[in-house]
Amino acid sequence: MTDENKQGQSNGISRREFLKNSGLVVGGVVGGGLLGGIFTQNFGGTADAPDTVDEETETDSPEQLTQARMFFKRQEDFDVLSAAVERIFPEDDAGPGAISLAIPYFIDKQLAGEYGFNSREYMEGPFYEGAPTQGPQTGLLRRGAFLYGIRMMQNIAENEYDESFFDLEPEVQDEILEQFEEGEVEMTGIMSDEFFQMFRMATLEGAYSDPVYGGNLNMDGWRQIQYPGSQMAYIDVIEEEEFVDMDPVSLHDHHE
């Protein structure tokens, strides 16, 4: 959906090669962002507080047991979220997409916790427009911004195409997301391009964070880019001259 994907496809560069070359996993996605916390208040006092759990998946896999909603109460909102992240991180020849990697559940859990409440950030006014490097300067909590943005996607789909966002053709979904990316959607409390950047980053973090946080199901995101995960040591391979493809290890594996 993004220009990066389009450019990568047109230049014959796979998503895996782009991510490996950019150093995204080491320096950006895994290094920070959503990994700070998992649980705590409310989307500005609305009724959409996290108190429901859907028993949609029952398996013995620790990763799959995390697939229960904690924040999104409305199925429609979750379905829009799922469709949107799949367009940002679609399944292709390099590997599974956002839905297969459980990224919607990752985002849901983050919004239910400290990330969603901006609990480690100063959130008192007054709020002024900041420099691009400062990010959104708003009193709107992330959980509120996500819910707002997702419902705006649905409103645009219904008003302009008379269908739900998740029922639209992928190309049309891309067009709506590009409106957000270009800052063309009128939003209150946050610019639509600021929301899109936050939404896109959350999607990438769900693909490459440790599975204990709810995404990167079965560590397939790591396998796409041959990232070894939380290895205890590299003493057996550190002197190898050639790249060693190691089976990834999750933080969960260290507690078994």
Side-chain angles (χ1 to χ4, degrees):
M1 135 56 225
T2 63
D3 291 338
E4 291 172 355
N5 287 341
K6 296 174 182 175
Q7 293 171 358
Q9 292 173 356
S10 63
N11 295 332
I13 301 173
S14 69
R15 184 172 68 211
R16 178 185 298 179
E17 291 171 335
F18 169 76
L19 291 170
K20 287 171 68 177
N21 293 337
S22 68
L24 182 60
V25 174
V26 175
V29 173
V30 173
L34 298 189
L35 305 187
I38 284 203
F39 302 110
T40 358
Q41 192 165 295
N42 193 321
F43 156 52
T46 72
D48 291 279
D51 60 4
T52 60
V53 172
D54 287 357
E55 298 179 358
E56 297 178 357
T57 306
E58 295 183 5
T59 74
D60 294 328
S61 165
E63 291 86 357
Q64 290 179 333
L65 287 174
T66 66
Q67 295 194 36
R69 295 207 307 267
M70 301 177 63
F71 173 70
F72 288 98
K73 297 181 71 172
R74 287 173 36 175
Q75 184 66 44
E76 179 182 87
D77 294 333
F78 192 74
D79 289 344
V80 173
L81 167 71
S82 300
V85 294
E86 183 69 17
R87 295 312 304 151
I88 291 174
F89 199 96
E91 182 173 350
D92 59 19
D93 293 340
I99 292 176
S100 296
L101 290 172
I103 291 174
Y105 290 98
F106 168 83
I107 293 176
D108 174 84
K109 289 175 175 56
Q110 296 302 314
L111 294 177
E114 292 184 0
Y115 171 80
F117 289 104
N118 302 59
S119 61
R120 301 191 182 191
E121 301 169 30
Y122 183 78
M123 293 296 293
E124 299 295 328
F127 299 98
Y128 300 102
E129 183 177 352
T133 54
Q134 293 179 299
Q137 302 294 302
T138 174
L140 188 63
L141 299 180
R142 288 193 188 93
R143 55 186 6 224
F146 270 75
L147 203 55
Y148 181 19
I150 286 167
R151 291 182 177 175
M152 285 294 293
M153 293 179 197
Q154 180 73 336
N155 288 341
I156 293 171
E158 291 176 341
N159 293 334
E160 296 185 8
Y161 302 97
D162 200 28
E163 286 192 64
S164 292
F165 181 87
F166 45 81
D167 288 330
L168 294 172
E169 292 297 320
E171 295 77 10
V172 181
Q173 293 175 341
D174 289 350
E175 291 176 4
I176 294 176
L177 289 172
E178 285 168 359
Q179 291 180 41
F180 283 86
E181 186 175 20
E182 297 299 323
E184 297 173 356
V185 179
E186 291 292 331
M187 298 180 68
T188 302
I190 186 171
M191 303 292 290
S192 60
D193 56 337
E194 293 175 338
F195 162 73
F196 179 84
Q197 292 304 319
M198 183 167 56
F199 190 81
R200 179 178 180 275
M201 183 55 69
T203 301
L204 293 175
E205 288 178 335
Y208 298 117
S209 62
D210 194 284
V212 298
Y213 297 103
N216 189 14
L217 186 62
N218 298 321
M219 296 180 284
D220 287 338
W222 287 348
R223 289 188 173 89
Q224 286 185 36
I225 56 174
Q226 298 176 298
Y227 178 68
S230 305
Q231 301 285 337
M232 292 293 290
Y234 296 90
I235 190 170
D236 295 333
V237 298
I238 195 168
E239 294 185 0
E240 297 288 337
E241 294 185 2
E242 301 295 327
F243 176 79
V244 178
D245 189 0
M246 306 175 69
D247 198 39
V249 176
S250 167
L251 290 171
H252 177 272
D253 299 328
H254 299 313
H255 296 283
E256 291 184 342

